[in-house]
Amino acid sequence: MATKGVGMANKGPSFGLSRQVQDKIDSKYDTELEQILVEWISRQCGSGVGKPEAGKTGFQTWLKDGCVLSELINSLFTTDKPVKKIASSPAAFKQMEQISQFLNASEKYGVTKTDMFQTVDLWEGKDLAAVQRTLSALGSLAITKEEGTYKGEANWFFKKAQENKRDFSDDQMKAGKNVIGLQMGSNQGASQEGMSYGRPRQIM
């Protein structure tokens, strides 16, 4: 006789340690940043995307089907929009697929993997602070690239540091190696004479 409920995932309320972990994740959610992100997305995408109810649940519900996110990433590309089809669907797998398209397009745009949220962070509301982090990274990139597609305020996101690539000639590289060699110095004549390492062990 099969044991009932073995291997079933518990989707009920979390208690104990899992509750504490979730509370800690929830505490990282920034309500001020939420307002900036909502305002930016609305400006970026136009009135068609609407605005959510204030608060974390409203924010999650607004973005959950992936359509607003897809509109956002498309708005940052002048041509060759990365998300070809944006369609709202009640089906969970379709919504997750739409979120995945946004994430792939964001990576193509330049958001690093460390700044990227996981689909479940948004869809199941597991870590909405991570969703905010991804959107902030996207905003920072949009300001930094200066492609004329960013429609928010200049002080909403930090400009990312630009790579400062330098090209050195072979002669300059060889000269640099000599400098490094001299900086390392010499250990000639070095010894441990005069150094002490604490008191010697007393033998009674």
Side-chain angles (χ1 to χ4, degrees):
M1 191 172 129
T3 312
K4 196 176 175 186
V6 171
M8 295 292 285
N10 178 12
K11 289 284 182 185
S14 50
F15 300 99
L17 186 61
S18 63
R19 177 78 258 160
Q20 287 176 342
V21 169
Q22 192 58 51
D23 286 346
K24 193 169 186 180
I25 291 169
D26 290 347
S27 71
K28 291 180 181 175
Y29 184 82
D30 187 336
T31 50
E32 283 179 40
L33 180 57
E34 176 198 304
Q35 292 170 357
I36 290 171
L37 291 170
V38 167
E39 192 55 42
W40 174 51
I41 293 168
S42 300
R43 281 198 204 177
Q44 204 61 48
C45 303
S47 58
V49 297
K51 283 192 178 179
E53 282 182 36
K56 198 160 45 167
T57 307
F59 189 68
Q60 181 204 3
T61 305
W62 188 47
L63 302 176
K64 188 177 175 180
D65 70 358
C67 292
V68 172
L69 293 173
S70 297
E71 293 283 357
L72 174 65
I73 192 67
N74 276 357
S75 75
L76 297 174
F77 285 80
T78 46
T79 57
D80 195 26
K81 309 283 186 191
V83 181
K84 304 299 180 206
K85 188 180 178 192
I86 302 173
S88 186
S89 168
F93 78 95
K94 286 279 187 192
Q95 293 179 359
M96 289 185 182
E97 196 176 87
Q98 195 79 58
I99 295 168
S100 291
Q101 286 184 53
F102 161 77
L103 291 171
N104 291 335
S106 296
E107 197 174 339
K108 183 179 168 187
Y109 190 70
V111 177
T112 59
K113 280 199 185 299
T114 52
D115 283 332
M116 209 72 82
F117 70 85
Q118 302 293 312
T119 302
V120 292
D121 292 338
L122 171 58
W123 203 85
E124 294 181 11
K126 292 226 183 254
D127 189 355
L128 292 170
V131 176
Q132 288 185 322
R133 190 171 59 245
T134 302
L135 293 171
S136 295
L138 195 59
S140 292
L141 270 169
I143 286 180
T144 308
K145 287 188 174 199
E146 294 179 347
E147 295 172 334
T149 55
Y150 176 75
K151 295 177 183 165
E153 299 292 327
N155 63 347
W156 281 352
F157 304 105
F158 293 108
K159 239 183 176 185
K160 291 208 178 270
Q162 296 282 357
E163 185 182 19
N164 190 3
K165 215 169 185 180
R166 295 178 174 89
D167 290 316
F168 295 106
S169 68
D170 288 341
D171 289 342
Q172 287 172 317
M173 292 298 278
K174 284 176 188 163
K177 283 180 184 167
N178 293 339
V179 171
I180 291 167
L182 291 171
Q183 284 174 345
M184 286 191 279
S186 161
N187 66 352
Q188 283 180 329
S191 77
Q192 291 181 336
E193 190 180 341
M195 293 177 79
S196 64
Y197 296 97
R199 294 176 60 196
R201 189 169 60 157
Q202 301 294 315
I203 300 170
M204 299 295 201

